[in-house]
Amino acid sequence: MARVILKDIKKIYPMSGDQKKKKAKGKKTEHKTGNLQITDKGVVAVQAFNLDIADKEFIVLVGPSGCGKSTTLRMIAGLEDISEGDLYIDDELMNGVAPKDRDIAMVFQNYALYPHMSVYDNMAFSLKLKHMDKKEIDVKVREAAEILGITEYLDRKPKALSGGQRQRVAIGRAIVRNPKVFLMDEPLSNLDAKLRNQMRAEILKLRQKINTTFIYVTHDQTEAMTLGDRIVIMKDGYIQQIGTPQQVFDHPANLFVAGFIGSPQMNMMDGRLIKKDGKYAVELPGTTVVLSEEKQARLAANDVAEQEVIVGVRPEHVILTDSGYRGTVEVSELMGSSMHVHLTDVHGKDMVVILNDKKDFDKFTTGAQIDLTFTPDVVHVFDRTTQKNLEW
Amino acid sequence: MNTNTVNSKKAIAQLTIVRIIVYIILAILTILCLFSFYMLIINSTRSNGELQGGFTLIPSTHFIQNLVNAWNDSSINIPRGMLNSFLIAALSAICATYFSALTAYGIHAYNFRGKKFAYWFILAIMVIPSQVAASGFVQICYKFGLTNNYLMLILPGIASPVVFFYMKQYMEAVLPMEIVEAARVDGSNEFFTFNRVILPMLKPALAVQLIFTFVASWNNYFLPSLLLTKSELKTVPIMIAQLRSADYSKFDMGKVYMFILLAILPVVIVYLILNRNIIKGVTSGSVKG
Amino acid sequence: MKEKKEKRHVSYAKWGLIFIAPFFIAYIIFSLAPQIITIYNAFFENYRSGLTIVGPNFVGLRNFVSLFTPDANGTIDILKYTGNTLLMWVEGAIPQIVIALLLAIFFTSYRLKIKGQGFFKAVIYMPNMIMASAFSMLFFTLFSNVGPVNQVIQAMGWADATIDFFSMTVTVRGMIALMNFLMWFGNTTILLMAGIMGIDQSMFEAANIDGANSLQTFFRVTLPLLKPILVYTIITAMIGGLQMFDVPQVLTNGFGVPNRTTMTLVMYLNNFLSGKNYGMSGAVSVILFIVTGILSLITFRSLRTQSEEA
């Protein structure tokens, strides 16, 4: 039972004297603050963050570095002060509560194991601080070690462990506490690709075993999509979209989300949204696609007018045709079961197409011209200036 | 081809000559460094009569006798002096090292108003010679009856800018904030975190600084000589200076050499065991150019 | 939803202040306050004459005036002692820096590949750890009229009579300089080695490929890149040199023999202090403070300009 509510939470880092002077002089401080908003109070790292996390939900905060995802997590943990807004865990205001009294556990990016303590002592440390009975500690530590398969390493020091084993110890240290909320800050980013996939699956298994509320921060969209019940996509301190993995994949709220979720990236083409016989269609050089009923309805509901738009189509949704949107093959990468073809379109923009039919593979030598089109239900239209999805 | 081999032979010959010169220079410096100590050891094994008789590089047989004589000397109580010196040096080393680490951690791990000022202030006072405070310090001690009080030699170590600076640099290299945060989440209070999590991580640096501060205090002569007037409280360097001011021609010279040997022996022993760590410690605390 | 209005923020700032407090309290009690009292005293007449205590009476700058007033022979003591201190420092520091620079280059040279570096480093650093007063006492006994040095000289027939090393300015200063050299050149070597090893190795390789010989590499590459740490080493050594005390004090039994030509600034200060003349000791301390202050400012400035250049 742990519901976490974030209400209008903001993080503002006060500017130092030097930065203020620079700002007054009109010099850019962008190399330090990125595109974060700078107000009189300071640099806003997290903007009015609202989120209601249900009990036992797995929430993933995802975004590029500097987007405020880690800061948000650290505010939930109590490691970072909340500048404005309220944080509730189980209806209790947590803003001024010390981390140890929030009933949370956290897994850090660099594991943060105590180097001078054995694995056992690392895991037992928090329980000892609670003055728990020694026998009880022993039971809990061994249980957690069993779940994570690190029983044989309990006497070792962290130095003597591999990256994956250290990660397990870090997780073990968190689960022995039976926390209400389980916080994870990029726990897999220091592992190699193979181990990362393996650990991702283990986190899913772990979740079924310990069934509690998870808040997970990552910059990797694959982790976000595979782990999260809901995903929160952030950029420059602002929430871009909150939704289930399917929702954010199928209905990205804006160009940023569309580009961030999915790999390879969604193709963005310059096109025009027109009304043809009362129906919305996108017009691209060489092809015109009348949109699906669902999209018609959503656009009509927003009363969208004809306009120049950015048309987004995912690489896996591009279809070959005899005469359509024209592209020139730059390179093609054979991935085994599929082929990624990199093209330049008529406007000189880069595109990627994924082909799954082996018959097509040898057609695409460098310099070949190909024609493309799209099915009505996978085309996204974005406003050119606001970059918002016009369906929203 | 031919000229090449000739050239390379020439280069090798040149390098060999340079190498020989370098080793000769090193040998001379080694002798220069060790000769006086070698003489000290030799002379501490010789009786007064032998010492008057002439110079030799060969040890004699009176080491134990000299040791017993020096140890039991009535005017210079060297065992007592060594005990006093050890007590002061050990306590001030612990004080200086612990509190410098604590100060460095306070500045390393926390953000507070005036933190930058505190840091630069400590760096600035590093270059003020301690003798500048001596006059006022001695006056205060006499005024409040604090002479002959070891605390006056131990407690000032709490503010040791050089040790602070070393610790700060070490922390920057080895102490990730994540560890501190993990301890916070685990329920450890800040003081407990410092003592149980941070200090064990600083062990190598603490060891180096314990040695340096111990040696500095063991060798310290200026302030103790001004503050310690009671003979039973005097430290080794003061006794050595006393030896110098005594009419030494009446002295048993074997005993004099033995006193000097005893004065430097504890540090030499520590140095022989730990010289690698000590030399490593010299560089890691210095300002990077 | 319950709301606890009293505590809305998590802050650890106070712990930083608590942790640095002991340092600053100790500094204020044991250093800053005594320093202020020292400076304050410099403006008072306050000394002991026999059993009577004179002062403290405010005398303005009279202590400083008397410091700089020539004595019957026309010498101004404080200038003489400052001169002695700097001269003896220079006599030790020049070989110290030159030898240290040479050794640092030998030890770091990948062409020379000096063996036994650990041993040599341990040997040359050792005198730094030795009690200066004991080292000085050892030199005194070795060079005394009946000491081994004189015994060797006589045995070899190099001199007819006993050489009294302590009656000649040049030999006493020489011994002090030698001891200072021995105590510090190892330390300087190790610092400079760290400086050289901090230089990107590819610089030397590039210079080598560009056709520079060893001497050119040294003067055109190593020395300019080593300048910051060299400047730091020299100036901190100078500040240390100004505080020279243990060695000349014990060697000359506090008299600066012969004829006070080896008396240093701190020995002078010590004389006033052991005589409980707080007015004059305060005035000497102020001079010492000003001189080191100027040197430290130069250090900071040179370091700052270098870090800005980098």
Side-chain angles (χ1 to χ4, degrees):
Chain A
M1 175 45 211
R3 184 178 175 209
V4 182
I5 299 171
L6 295 90
K7 217 165 124 189
D8 284 327
I9 282 184
K10 268 193 185 184
K11 180 71 200 183
I12 303 168
Y13 288 107
M15 271 190 295
S16 66
D18 289 353
Q19 284 168 310
K20 270 182 198 156
K21 266 183 233 155
K22 274 188 192 159
K23 197 192 166 196
K25 276 187 194 164
K27 275 188 192 165
K28 283 179 189 173
T29 51
E30 277 182 12
H31 58 285
K32 267 188 184 168
T33 55
N35 294 315
L36 296 179
Q37 190 196 348
I38 299 168
T39 65
D40 293 339
K41 285 182 192 166
V43 181
V44 188
V46 178
Q47 300 272 5
F49 194 107
N50 280 295
L51 183 64
D52 189 338
I53 303 169
D55 182 31
K56 297 186 175 121
E57 192 175 6
F58 199 122
I59 285 281
V60 179
L61 308 182
V62 66
S65 66
C67 71
K69 56 191 190 299
S70 278
T71 309
T72 307
L73 189 79
R74 291 163 54 80
M75 285 193 284
I76 298 171
L79 296 171
E80 200 86 57
D81 187 40
I82 298 170
S83 309
E84 283 173 32
D86 299 326
L87 168 74
Y88 297 94
I89 297 176
D90 280 346
D91 296 342
E92 214 172 317
L93 186 70
M94 286 290 163
N95 288 39
V97 178
K100 63 188 169 99
D101 301 321
R102 293 190 183 196
D103 205 354
I104 49 147
M106 184 154 169
V107 177
F108 294 86
Q109 180 173 1
N110 298 308
Y111 323 130
L113 300 176
Y114 310 121
H116 57 291
M117 297 183 196
S118 67
V119 167
Y120 185 98
D121 289 333
N122 261 285
M123 288 166 73
F125 188 63
S126 66
L127 304 179
K128 279 182 191 162
L129 287 172
K130 279 188 198 163
H131 302 292
M132 193 182 269
D133 181 60
K134 266 198 176 162
K135 277 179 199 160
E136 209 179 327
I137 292 177
D138 195 63
V139 170
K140 290 210 168 206
V141 169
R142 289 187 188 282
E143 199 179 81
E146 199 61 43
I147 292 176
L148 293 159
I150 50 174
T151 309
E152 53 185 308
Y153 309 122
L154 280 177
D155 293 331
R156 288 205 196 162
K157 293 268 171 73
K159 235 188 222 167
L161 300 178
S162 70
Q165 289 162 344
R166 285 182 205 180
Q167 187 58 72
R168 277 165 222 262
V169 178
I171 293 172
R173 178 169 69 179
I175 61 178
V176 289
R177 308 184 49 190
N178 255 334
K180 273 192 204 165
V181 186
F182 209 108
L183 307 174
M184 300 178 115
D185 188 4
E186 306 230 16
L188 306 184
S189 60
N190 277 353
L191 303 176
D192 63 50
K194 198 178 156 196
L195 207 51
R196 202 179 310 159
N197 289 344
Q198 194 188 329
M199 283 303 290
R200 210 167 59 204
E202 289 206 25
I203 288 174
L204 280 172
K205 275 190 243 162
L206 181 72
R207 189 202 165 182
Q208 283 157 5
K209 277 182 199 150
I210 63 174
N211 208 6
T212 180
T213 309
F214 277 77
I215 306 175
Y216 186 106
V217 162
T218 179
H219 63 268
D220 180 40
Q221 60 95 21
T222 321
E223 271 173 41
M225 295 292 278
T226 48
L227 289 171
D229 292 333
R230 278 194 297 159
I231 302 178
V232 180
I233 298 149
M234 297 180 69
K235 185 196 167 198
D236 298 338
Y238 289 94
I239 295 183
Q240 303 290 312
Q241 190 172 6
I242 303 174
T244 65
Q246 203 61 52
Q247 278 168 353
V248 297
F249 187 80
D250 290 345
H251 303 287
N254 55 37
L255 265 183
F256 175 77
V257 175
F260 193 79
I261 299 292
S263 174
Q265 258 199 345
M266 185 185 278
N267 295 306
M268 308 294 182
M269 296 160 282
D270 291 334
R272 191 173 162 75
L273 182 72
I274 53 166
K275 269 192 166 173
K276 201 174 165 190
D277 309 329
K279 285 197 165 181
Y280 285 105
V282 290
E283 193 181 49
L284 289 160
T287 186
T288 301
V289 181
V290 179
L291 298 176
S292 66
E293 287 307 321
E294 189 202 355
K295 289 186 184 282
Q296 296 289 346
R298 295 180 76 139
L299 289 172
N302 287 349
D303 199 19
V304 177
E306 287 193 351
Q307 56 184 296
E308 298 290 325
V309 290
I310 293 170
V311 179
V313 180
R314 296 195 184 277
E316 53 270 43
H317 294 150
V318 179
I319 312 168
L320 296 178
T321 181
D322 292 337
S323 168
Y325 191 65
R326 174 74 52 98
T328 312
V329 176
E330 292 281 321
V331 283
S332 46
E333 304 168 312
L334 186 60
M335 314 295 274
S337 60
S338 67
M339 185 150 99
H340 292 186
V341 183
H342 295 260
L343 315 161
T344 324
D345 72 1
V346 284
H347 300 295
K349 280 193 179 171
D350 293 334
M351 283 183 75
V352 180
V353 176
I354 299 181
L355 302 172
N356 290 312
D357 194 344
K358 286 203 171 155
K359 290 187 309 217
D360 300 332
F361 284 8
D362 40 351
K363 288 180 198 164
F364 299 103
T365 50
T366 302
Q369 303 272 318
I370 53 171
D371 286 81
L372 313 162
T373 190
F374 323 102
T375 53
D377 54 336
V378 296
V379 178
H380 306 279
V381 284
F382 300 97
D383 189 301
R384 282 230 179 142
T385 48
T386 65
Q387 308 203 328
K388 287 219 165 95
N389 190 333
L390 289 168
E391 289 176 36
W392 282 68
Chain B
M1 245 342 245
N2 235 343
T3 46
N4 266 353
T5 38
V6 170
N7 275 344
S8 93
K9 264 185 190 165
K10 216 171 137 190
I12 290 169
Q14 256 177 4
L15 194 62
T16 314
I17 292 168
V18 172
R19 217 174 258 156
I20 289 168
I21 294 171
V22 168
Y23 279 115
I24 290 172
I25 294 174
L26 286 172
I28 292 171
L29 287 169
T30 304
I31 291 169
L32 206 55
C33 283
L34 295 183
F35 184 73
S36 58
F37 299 110
Y38 180 73
M39 285 310 300
L40 172 64
I41 293 167
I42 295 300
N43 287 351
S44 69
T45 65
R46 304 175 74 203
S47 71
N48 192 37
E50 286 169 338
L51 283 162
Q52 306 300 335
F55 166 86
T56 178
L57 290 174
I58 304 151
S60 180
T61 53
H62 300 275
F63 184 82
I64 301 292
Q65 189 199 323
N66 285 336
L67 180 63
V68 171
N69 287 345
W71 200 259
N72 295 326
D73 188 88
S74 55
S75 61
I76 291 179
N77 188 349
I78 195 81
R80 184 63 198 250
M82 288 173 80
L83 188 72
N84 293 340
S85 277
F86 182 83
L87 191 72
I88 296 174
L91 289 175
S92 55
I94 290 167
C95 242
T97 310
Y98 180 82
F99 284 102
S100 299
L102 187 71
T103 312
Y105 181 69
I107 285 181
H108 178 74
Y110 300 97
N111 278 310
F112 53 89
R113 201 182 281 258
K115 164 174 152 154
K116 258 196 179 157
F117 171 79
Y119 180 71
W120 283 106
F121 183 81
I122 298 175
L123 284 198
I125 62 176
M126 194 150 66
V127 292
I128 299 177
S130 56
Q131 285 96 338
V132 172
S135 175
F137 191 64
V138 170
Q139 198 186 4
I140 295 172
C141 288
Y142 272 96
K143 195 162 189 178
F144 295 102
L146 293 167
T147 53
N148 294 312
N149 186 334
Y150 283 174
L151 287 179
M152 294 300 107
L153 297 169
I154 294 164
L155 294 180
I158 292 172
S160 303
V162 178
V163 188
F164 159 85
F165 188 60
Y166 182 92
M167 288 295 169
K168 179 77 173 60
Q169 288 213 317
Y170 192 82
M171 284 180 194
E172 273 161 23
V174 306
L175 201 67
M177 276 309 288
E178 273 194 353
I179 292 272
V180 181
E181 290 173 344
R184 270 177 204 161
V185 173
D186 273 348
S188 169
N189 77 43
E190 301 300 303
F191 195 58
F192 190 85
T193 303
F194 175 74
N195 286 325
R196 293 301 179 80
V197 178
I198 305 304
L199 278 188
M201 291 179 69
L202 300 176
K203 257 184 206 159
L206 294 174
V208 165
Q209 285 309 316
L210 277 174
I211 296 168
F212 277 125
T213 47
F214 180 92
V215 170
S217 174
W218 177 271
N219 294 343
N220 189 15
Y221 171 53
F222 183 67
L223 206 53
S225 74
L226 291 167
L227 290 182
L228 302 177
T229 54
K230 282 190 190 157
S231 64
E232 72 268 24
L233 294 178
K234 286 187 172 164
T235 58
V236 176
I238 304 175
M239 291 182 174
I240 294 294
Q242 261 179 320
L243 198 61
R244 171 67 182 86
S245 56
D247 185 5
Y248 81 99
S249 57
K250 288 178 197 151
F251 259 75
D252 171 356
M253 282 314 289
K255 197 159 78 175
V256 170
Y257 284 110
M258 183 54 73
F259 278 131
I260 300 172
L261 186 65
L262 287 173
I264 66 171
L265 204 59
V267 170
V268 171
I269 291 170
V270 171
Y271 184 74
L272 287 179
I273 300 167
L274 296 170
N275 65 71
R276 269 171 195 282
N277 308 47
I278 291 170
I279 288 167
K280 247 187 241 162
V282 178
T283 40
S284 39
S286 64
V287 171
K288 287 170 202 152
Chain C
M1 288 183 187
K2 287 179 274 177
E3 280 221 16
K4 287 178 200 158
K5 271 279 166 221
E6 64 271 32
K7 209 180 163 212
R8 297 268 314 164
H9 293 279
V10 184
S11 169
Y12 299 99
K14 68 162 193 248
W15 286 98
L17 289 169
I18 291 170
F19 284 5
I20 70 168
F23 184 102
F24 281 89
I25 292 168
Y27 179 74
I28 289 167
I29 295 175
F30 297 113
S31 286
L32 191 60
Q35 277 161 19
I36 291 166
I37 292 170
T38 301
I39 295 167
Y40 179 81
N41 273 332
F43 302 97
F44 285 80
E45 175 185 58
N46 184 1
Y47 62 93
R48 196 176 281 200
S49 171
L51 286 174
T52 52
I53 294 168
V54 180
N57 307 315
F58 182 76
V59 292
L61 292 171
R62 214 171 71 196
N63 289 333
F64 293 96
V65 171
S66 75
L67 269 187
F68 287 96
T69 305
D71 64 9
N73 301 325
T75 47
I76 298 169
D77 283 349
I78 189 147
L79 293 184
K80 179 176 173 174
Y81 302 151
T82 310
N84 291 345
T85 313
L86 288 174
L87 190 73
M88 288 189 289
W89 175 73
V90 168
E91 282 175 8
I94 289 173
Q96 173 190 335
I97 307 245
V98 171
I99 299 273
L101 200 52
L102 269 177
L103 291 187
I105 287 161
F106 294 160
F107 286 148
T108 52
S109 163
Y110 64 100
R111 288 184 64 218
L112 285 173
K113 292 194 191 68
I114 300 298
K115 294 204 178 71
Q117 283 201 24
F119 169 76
F120 287 124
K121 276 194 260 176
V123 167
I124 62 173
Y125 188 75
M126 190 187 70
N128 192 260
M129 302 289 277
I130 299 297
M131 184 184 293
S133 46
F135 193 35
S136 194
M137 181 67 195
L138 177 60
F139 259 67
F140 171 71
T141 51
L142 293 180
F143 283 89
S144 76
N145 290 349
V146 293
V149 175
N150 259 312
Q151 287 172 347
V152 171
I153 287 170
Q154 302 217 313
M156 297 288 180
W158 289 336
D160 302 333
T162 307
I163 299 174
D164 187 355
F165 287 99
F166 295 92
S167 66
M168 290 175 287
T169 304
V170 59
T171 45
V172 182
R173 281 185 181 164
M175 278 186 271
I176 293 168
L178 175 64
M179 275 186 271
N180 277 322
F181 161 75
L182 285 175
M183 286 168 71
W184 289 102
F185 85 102
N187 183 289
T188 311
T189 304
I190 286 157
L191 287 180
L192 293 180
M193 272 181 73
I196 292 175
M197 288 189 289
I199 298 171
D200 190 351
Q201 274 296 318
S202 57
M203 299 262 192
F204 298 116
E205 286 159 12
N208 210 348
I209 289 165
D210 287 343
N213 64 34
S214 311
L215 276 183
Q216 285 167 328
T217 310
F218 174 71
F219 283 108
R220 302 284 175 80
V221 182
T222 315
L223 210 52
L225 289 171
L226 206 57
K227 204 181 124 200
I229 195 145
L230 205 56
V231 169
Y232 169 82
T233 311
I234 291 171
I235 296 180
T236 47
M238 198 187 282
I239 292 171
L242 272 173
Q243 301 172 46
M244 196 188 296
F245 173 69
D246 294 19
V247 167
Q249 173 79 13
V250 173
L251 193 71
T252 69
N253 197 15
F255 295 118
V257 292
N259 192 25
R260 296 176 296 133
T261 49
T262 55
M263 190 85 151
T264 66
L265 261 181
V266 179
M267 283 167 76
Y268 192 39
L269 170 65
N270 185 66
N271 281 350
F272 283 127
L273 264 180
S274 40
K276 307 218 166 32
N277 188 338
Y278 298 119
M280 290 306 284
S281 68
V284 174
S285 301
V286 169
I287 303 288
L288 185 65
F289 180 74
I290 290 169
V291 176
T292 40
I294 291 167
L295 289 174
S296 312
L297 267 181
I298 298 169
T299 321
F300 271 113
R301 184 152 301 174
S302 67
L303 282 177
R304 181 171 285 183
T305 47
Q306 258 130 24
S307 68
E308 272 166 11
E309 279 164 20

